[in-house]
Amino acid sequence: MNSRATLFALAAAFAVTASAALAAPAPFVFAESGRAKAAVVVAEDAGPGAEFAVQELVDYLNKMTGARFPVATSPLKGWNTIYVGRPLSGDDRYEAFRIQASEDGRTLDLAGNDERGNAYAVYDLLETLGCGFWSPDNETVPFETNLVLSAGYEKSDAPAFSFRNNDEPFGDFAMVLKLRANTNRHRRDIQTRLDGMGGDAYESISHSLGNCQWVKSSVFFDAHPDWYALVEITDTNAWNKILRESSRYCGTNGIPTNLKGNWVRLRYIPCTMAQGMRDQLVKEVGDFLAANYPVHKSVSISTPDSSDYCHCAACRKLVDSDESRTSAVLYIDLINYVAKSLLPKYPKAHFNLLSYGAAYTPPKDAKRFKMGPGTGVAFAHHWRNHGVPINCCERFMPRFLGWRDVCDRFLFWEYYTNFHIYVNPFPNTDIFGPAFKFYLDNKFDGGFCQMTNSRLTPFADLNWWVKNRLMWNPNADAMALVDQYIEGAYGPAAPHVRRYLDIVLHAKRRQRWAWIGDYVDDTGNYLQPGDVLEIMRAMQKALASISKDPNIGRRIDVRRLAFSINHLGAMRYPDLIEPAKAERFRLAPWQEYSDGWKSTALDYLNSDEYMGARQLYGENDGSGLKGFFRYLDMLKETAETPTAWPERKLLSRVVAPAEMTGSPVRFAVTNDASGAPFSSLTYGWGGGEPKFMSPNWCEAGFTVTNDLEGVWYLFSNVSVDTTATNDPAAAYTGIYSPWYVGNFRVPNKRAEICSMRIARTKGDEGWRLACLGKWGLRPGARVWVMPGVVNETRNLGVRNFTLLSPEVFEKDVTLPGGIGSRHVSAAIRACEGAVEQKRDEIDRYFYAELDCLSTNGPGAINAPIAQSKDLSAFATGEKYVFARVRVSASDVLVGDAARVRLVQPAKAKGEEPERVIVDIPVGGSYGADSWQIISLGRVALEPGMVLGVVANDPATAAVALRDFVLVSPEFLETSVKAQ
Ligand SMILES: [Zn+2]
């Protein structure tokens, strides 16, 4: 049932219960046979919100009915009355609105709080009547000459978040309110109009100190160098350079004479303890509030875009006084000082600290560094997988919990795109729902979502719309909103657009550890060639389906989405050649995609849409036209038709420690007690070692050489010792891949395409295989292992990496000498509990799923080895065993959500009890229910044994098993030639 039908049904129910004693209920009639029956009534001195709402209401009602609706300041005799902008009684919720039709059908009252509520009421009514506002140039407005609303219809609503920033590039004032947003950071002209409707919704959370907004160094540095950060330069070259050239970033005046070593003042970083700086800050913020309060009540007291901080004696003393030694204490102390100084005069003022850069890590001593009244923290968190909700990030959650101890008001600054390349499909539409629920549950006041600036980003309009709906009501069914949008916006093309979105989200879920970064050169790698071909097919159908659609906006929207055909065709051509042949897909000549890319891009460049050239690139690469022409150059470089991947000469390849390299100082190849070599990383958390991952700091791995180029399943054999009882990320393993446009390798560009957490429990230092999944490895790609950063770990070792051909891992193969691989699926009859067989409709395979929320007990998915003679014969002796599983959880970061096991069942009549031979935990996280490959290690199999998977935590919602893969040890321990 769509939302419109639901509302009508609810309204009808109201009519029955509320009006039994009254006269026969009558619907509210707007128009009859194309003639208006209702007049819009608004007070003469109505505010800007009511006035705007009336204009919009009349315009749309006229369009919908062909009638002309009169506007008056009091009811007109003989007409029904639509009141707009009367005070909303009995509901003082921020921005609340109410729509109420009288039982007798004579009046309809549209009322809202805070002026904007009036506009929300009007748009809500219009949507109830069948309108859809998908984008400024794509709306659906039904034509209905007899327009009515059910008798006694009533709806009231209010937003969950008070700050709902609308950061999209439309530059359309009405669209902000149609999306139920209340602020617009990018457009000053729009923000000024919004301010006129009660602008106190805006929360300032940007960088503000240094030279951004307050106590600007461009004004004060020369006279007061001591207001800016004092830091020591330990690098001699850097010091000599500073002495040689006058630096934009630092100066050497105002250095205390008693300091030894080379010190400078950083112009763009404040000394937060300098009393003069504090006085000036309070003065400037006080002046701002005096001029703008209460329309603007929010002030940001935040770091510049940097992690640097002042090392003067006073600042260092404060930083060192907390066990965490976080520089955030400098800003907590400062914001408390400002709030304390100004709150008495401006009691409703908000002082926000952006937790970012130098204010990233919370302090340990929550009592001493409690943030005072009037203050709040806004979270920005780049370093995570943006394909899963923010609370699934093992680095974000401890950080959030730490801040929650010192503060009780929160805002978010979300990143919902890849800022390095906007035109790739970015698979995050399904994470908004869980993310906003997290923000709601933790009482955030709202926030700002930094999204793409380009309407050439696939699903950009959809994401803006869904995101804004959820900021109003995070409890709404996010994927139902997605369906509503696609059906409304795309009409006949909807099934094909939905198919495109399904492929993108499915591809992300195919491999749990695909890295969906927000600042990487190319996030397209999670799509496999078959996905790209399927997207091309879907978009060809979409284009055909709307070629004659009367809605021009819709036709443009579909064409914009079909840019993907050219983009993916141009970028991924070498990947597509062989799969297209196999699937009999007519791949166009290379030139068609690259020419199509250029012509669409040029059309965009010449359009007057907001952001101009930045329509095509990320915010850093796309400053002006430079990025655009760089892209064109890359397409020129690869002008010859690209070639397919080279043929593979090996079925497996082991990369031994002797072939590995690593970070200077901390990497060495050494031998264990048995004399076997391994790559060892030595590091420590004491002595100022950084707690971030960097190849320059601590890394071991190998660089892919020409002979290893190809598509492989990739395994790393790792041992790590953690100090935490349950460490979700004792180490990480992943891949940095060069960026290719067709066959052209873009110089100096590498993208992280895969990053896998390695979970360990304390005391478990055993060697274990981690499977990164299936990836195309290009020459120059770096496959790496690095220590974890959430908890202290020690002794990270890498025994080897193994590359295994998909042929061996995905198919049953048998080579001379009996080595090979086999697949063991679940036998539904042997399973326990609510286990069902299901089918993956995109990759076309069957899997077994255990529904853990069903009442049929805990359950287990079992895959007995002795399902066939061939399997029994193969599964005798030592094999490597892998499970292809998926775990859905109702909570985030459940470390032990399920277990994959190898069991020797009980022998008959009390001879031998059941014996669990292998038992490996599998993690799950709400919103990140993707397929994972779990290694059970090298085990001695017997035909009577049973492989299986069981749920292991009350928060586990479902467990799915595709199959177990058995592989002869030869493949994982030696290099095997192709036959
Ligand atoms: Zn200082």
Side-chain angles (χ1 to χ4, degrees), residues 283-338:
K283 182 186 173 300
E284 289 181 18
V285 175
D287 288 349
F288 171 84
L289 289 172
N292 296 289
Y293 185 87
V295 169
H296 288 290
K297 64 179 191 320
S298 170
V299 171
S300 175
I301 306 292
S302 298
T303 68
D305 194 349
S306 167
S307 299
D308 287 327
Y309 62 95
C310 180
H311 285 67
C312 78
C315 288
R316 240 179 354 186
K317 191 176 162 200
L318 193 64
V319 170
D320 289 346
S321 72
D322 189 72
E323 192 194 327
S324 68
R325 300 178 74 185
T326 172
S327 44
V329 296
L330 299 172
Y331 287 88
I332 294 175
D333 197 69
L334 183 67
I335 203 168
N336 281 344
Y337 180 83
V338 176

Side-chain angles (χ1 to χ4, degrees), residues 226 228-230 265 270-274 310-316 330:
D226 58 312
Y228 300 90
L230 186 65
R265 293 275 178 187
C271 169
T272 56
M273 298 300 280
C310 180
H311 285 67
C312 78
C315 288
R316 240 179 354 186
L330 299 172

Side-chain angles (χ1 to χ4, degrees), residues 1 7 41 75 96 118 137 159 195 220 310 415 481 563 577 593 656 663 823 875 926 934:
M1 194 184 270
L7 286 172
V41 172
N118 296 305
D137 43 30
D195 290 349
F220 296 106
C310 180
Y415 302 109
L481 288 171
F563 176 69
I577 298 169
Y593 299 115
S663 56
H823 293 76
Y926 179 66
I934 306 293

